[in-house]
Amino acid sequence: MKTHMLAQQVALVTGASSGIGKAIAVAMADAGASVVVNFHSQPDAAREVVEHIARHGGRAIAVKADVGSESDVERLFEEAVTAFGRVDILVANSGIQRDAPIGEMTLEQWNQVIATNLTGQFLCAREAVRLFRRQGRSRGPGDGRREGQREGQREGADEAPSRALGKIIHISSVHQLIPWAGHANYAASKGGIDLFMRSLAQEVAEEGIRVNAIAPGAIATAINRESVEDEAARKKMLSLIPYGRIGAPEDVAAAALWLASDASDYVVGTTLFIDGGMSLYPEFRDGG
Ligand code: NAD
């Protein structure tokens, strides 16, 4: 659905060539934002996301970067500014799983997950805060303008397009709360996001920067394809979801859109669980 909720704003979404990141990139473009589609290893898929957005009248570019690399993340933001003049919204979405029982978990598996899921969130958030500070409240001519719009033609030209100086949305997981045997590295990375997000939110709120997170439950994407496609595994997964369905990337995108918009302007340091009730201890449904 097309809206103007994010008109004249620029959103940078990491890991946006697939799954939840892709749905968020498309939703933000539909809401009027210019979108930076970060990808790591799927250039063709990223190009398709950019083309999809362009076909629907939006603006987007694809930029390759490893969120665990400091120099890559710095370049990612530089390219965003070169293309669109600024960044208003960061969605730190990239994440991986490298599952193993603890006795067999290699240091490499541990380090890879922490580097992408936790250090990646830190590097992107730090860069976003630095940029929000540099940008301040002033907007140069053409910043974040939609295609076809000329200076002086903008809706509400005298008003800033967002009440916040900038917005950061961390994509965490229900496993920031629910322990996950066999996935200790993943759960540790997501638990880390929770306190990183809340500490950052507390630190920068007075500057007008809003930091929040989304904790998705079971969403059908590449990360859990096996559990969703295998009948027995799917049934087991559904037994953990009180609402009775596996989520779609669009369920998460709708929440991200709200958190990025002025509709949530008083929401600071919160994690929204988008999980069909997975975090409600479903084993206790029948009285425990
Ligand atoms: P996905 O595998 O489709 O998306 C992950 C994205 O991260 C991919 O596009 C991948 O290329 C990118 N990525 C991986 N390593 C990267 C790196 N070093 N630098 C930049 N990008 C990198 O799976 P998804 O389900 O869409 O996952 C998105 C986020 O949602 C992840 O953080 C994941 O942990 C979280 N999540 C997903 C679920 C779910 O059920 N699908 C549940 C809870 C949380």
Side-chain angles (χ1 to χ4, degrees):
M1 193 184 66
K2 282 209 170 298
T3 69
H4 295 293
M5 263 164 108
L6 302 181
Q8 300 172 46
Q9 298 189 54
V10 179
L12 190 162
V13 186
T14 69
S17 59
S18 64
I20 291 171
K22 174 180 173 178
I24 292 174
V26 168
M28 292 198 172
D30 279 347
S34 301
V35 180
V36 179
V37 174
N38 158 250
F39 68 96
H40 181 235
S41 49
Q42 303 167 293
D44 293 343
R47 202 174 319 119
E48 277 171 30
V49 176
V50 167
E51 284 167 8
H52 172 93
I53 289 172
R55 272 200 308 278
H56 289 78
R59 294 206 305 170
I61 57 161
V63 181
K64 181 177 165 69
D66 175 352
V67 294
S69 153
E70 187 171 39
S71 56
D72 272 23
V73 170
E74 286 168 359
R75 185 180 43 75
L76 171 63
F77 277 78
E78 278 162 20
E79 291 193 27
V81 172
T82 302
F84 296 130
R86 61 187 294 112
V87 173
D88 301 282
I89 300 154
L90 163 68
V91 184
N93 163 76
S94 295
I96 56 169
Q97 284 181 222
R98 296 288 181 270
D99 309 329
I102 199 68
E104 287 151 40
M105 188 175 285
T106 63
L107 179 59
E108 194 187 359
Q109 286 172 321
W110 173 270
N111 282 341
Q112 279 180 341
V113 168
I114 298 298
T116 301
N117 297 14
L118 188 55
T119 307
Q121 299 258 338
F122 154 68
L123 288 172
C124 291
R126 186 185 65 176
E127 219 44 43
V129 168
R130 286 174 172 170
L131 182 58
F132 295 157
R133 286 174 176 162
R134 278 204 305 278
Q135 287 172 175
R137 298 264 175 197
S138 68
R139 299 173 69 86
D143 282 355
R145 207 163 66 221
R146 284 182 294 123
E147 199 155 20
Q149 269 186 318
R150 287 198 312 273
E151 186 65 8
Q153 265 194 330
R154 295 194 244 163
E155 305 102 322
D158 295 330
E159 287 169 30
S162 168
R163 292 180 72 180
L165 186 71
K167 292 148 291 194
I168 297 174
I169 301 166
H170 295 281
I171 304 299
S172 177
S173 162
V174 284
H175 295 297
Q176 73 170 44
L177 179 71
I178 305 173
W180 204 13
H183 307 71
N185 49 358
Y186 185 82
S189 73
K190 297 299 187 178
I193 290 175
D194 179 35
L195 264 176
F196 173 68
M197 181 281 290
R198 289 192 287 143
S199 302
L200 180 62
Q202 190 192 57
E203 188 170 328
V204 300
E206 67 183 6
E207 297 172 72
I209 300 174
R210 287 200 299 116
V211 185
N212 290 288
I214 294 175
I219 310 296
T221 70
I223 216 170
N224 57 13
R225 184 162 288 142
E226 279 166 28
S227 331
V228 173
E229 286 177 0
D230 175 80
E231 196 46 41
R234 186 182 168 85
K235 232 174 135 187
K236 196 168 156 216
M237 192 185 265
L238 279 171
S239 75
L240 298 175
I241 308 171
Y243 200 57
R245 73 169 171 88
I246 290 168
E250 289 71 24
D251 290 313
V252 181
L257 196 57
W258 182 74
L259 280 178
S261 77
D262 275 356
S264 65
D265 189 57
Y266 207 51
V267 179
V268 174
T270 288
T271 297
L272 282 183
F273 282 75
I274 308 296
D275 68 351
M278 192 181 236
S279 51
L280 296 175
Y281 298 94
E283 301 84 349
F284 284 78
R285 261 179 292 190
D286 302 322

